[in-house]
Amino acid sequence: MSRPARQLRGTAARLGRLMPAQGPGSAARTPFVLLVVALLGGGLITLLVLNSALNEGSFKLSEYRRQTTDLTDEQQALQRDVDDLSAPDALARRAGDLGMVPGGTPVFLGPDGTVKGVPAPAGEPSPAEAAEPSPLPVAQNQAPATAPKHHAPAARPRKPAKTSPTPGR
């Protein structure tokens, strides 16, 4: 019963048709399979490198946002200091510390040489100003007007900062 080409029957015959035939065709598939595996491996490595680069950029971005927030806060504090120092009452107080006196009501000369207004030396109130109270409060223990005024400016309470929303908060 030995036949050179043995015939399979039943279930074995059906399974035999599903199995590829061994031969020169299977050797040609090996380079293709290796190429597909190499492409998949290269793609995974590329994705890993790309993901790492994006994470590094994200860390730099969050650091830059933190720096921007810090610098914005510093800029607002400096602007608040400039606003405090350039307020009219602060300017008047510093001018008084330097020995300056208010100029009083201005007097004008007309083109024909006529004087418009009442001239008065600086530091003395003009007749119009003498009737009005001084806009700056006068301290009770203030030195006489002839002595130069040299006192440290009073500490003013700080106003809360007007902040605007900044990125990263």
Side-chain angles (χ1 to χ4, degrees), residues 41-51:
L44 287 175
I45 290 173
T46 303
L47 285 175
L48 179 65
V49 169
L50 183 62
N51 192 18

Side-chain angles (χ1 to χ4, degrees), residues 19 56 112 145 162 166:
M19 298 295 287
E56 181 181 351
D112 58 351
K162 295 177 185 174
T166 55

Side-chain angles (χ1 to χ4, degrees), residues 43-65:
L44 287 175
I45 290 173
T46 303
L47 285 175
L48 179 65
V49 169
L50 183 62
N51 192 18
S52 298
L54 288 175
N55 283 338
E56 181 181 351
S58 175
F59 286 130
K60 284 183 180 179
L61 181 62
S62 60
E63 176 65 22
Y64 290 150
R65 282 186 178 153

Side-chain angles (χ1 to χ4, degrees), residues 7 10 18 22 34 38 41 49 52-53 57 61 64 70-71 73 78 82 86 89 98 100-101 130 147 151 157:
Q7 295 280 332
L18 292 176
Q22 298 291 332
L34 290 176
V49 169
S52 298
L61 181 62
Y64 290 150
D70 292 344
L71 291 174
D73 292 344
L78 291 173
V82 167
S86 63
D89 59 334
L98 294 173
M100 296 181 176
V101 293
H151 62 278

Side-chain angles (χ1 to χ4, degrees), residues 41-163:
L44 287 175
I45 290 173
T46 303
L47 285 175
L48 179 65
V49 169
L50 183 62
N51 192 18
S52 298
L54 288 175
N55 283 338
E56 181 181 351
S58 175
F59 286 130
K60 284 183 180 179
L61 181 62
S62 60
E63 176 65 22
Y64 290 150
R65 282 186 178 153
R66 187 192 61 77
Q67 286 178 357
T68 300
T69 302
D70 292 344
L71 291 174
T72 301
D73 292 344
E74 182 180 351
Q75 186 263 344
Q76 288 174 351
L78 291 173
Q79 185 63 46
R80 190 173 47 249
D81 291 344
V82 167
D83 291 342
D84 288 345
L85 292 175
S86 63
D89 59 334
L91 289 175
R93 186 175 58 248
R94 287 189 300 162
D97 291 343
L98 294 173
M100 296 181 176
V101 293
T105 307
V107 178
F108 300 99
L109 291 177
D112 58 351
T114 59
V115 177
K116 294 182 181 181
V118 180
E124 294 179 14
S126 67
E129 288 178 344
E132 297 177 11
S134 173
L136 295 176
V138 179
Q140 296 297 329
N141 58 358
Q142 192 174 17
T146 57
K149 300 174 190 175
H150 294 288
H151 62 278
R156 294 180 45 193
R158 290 212 170 238
K159 300 176 199 168
K162 295 177 185 174
T163 58

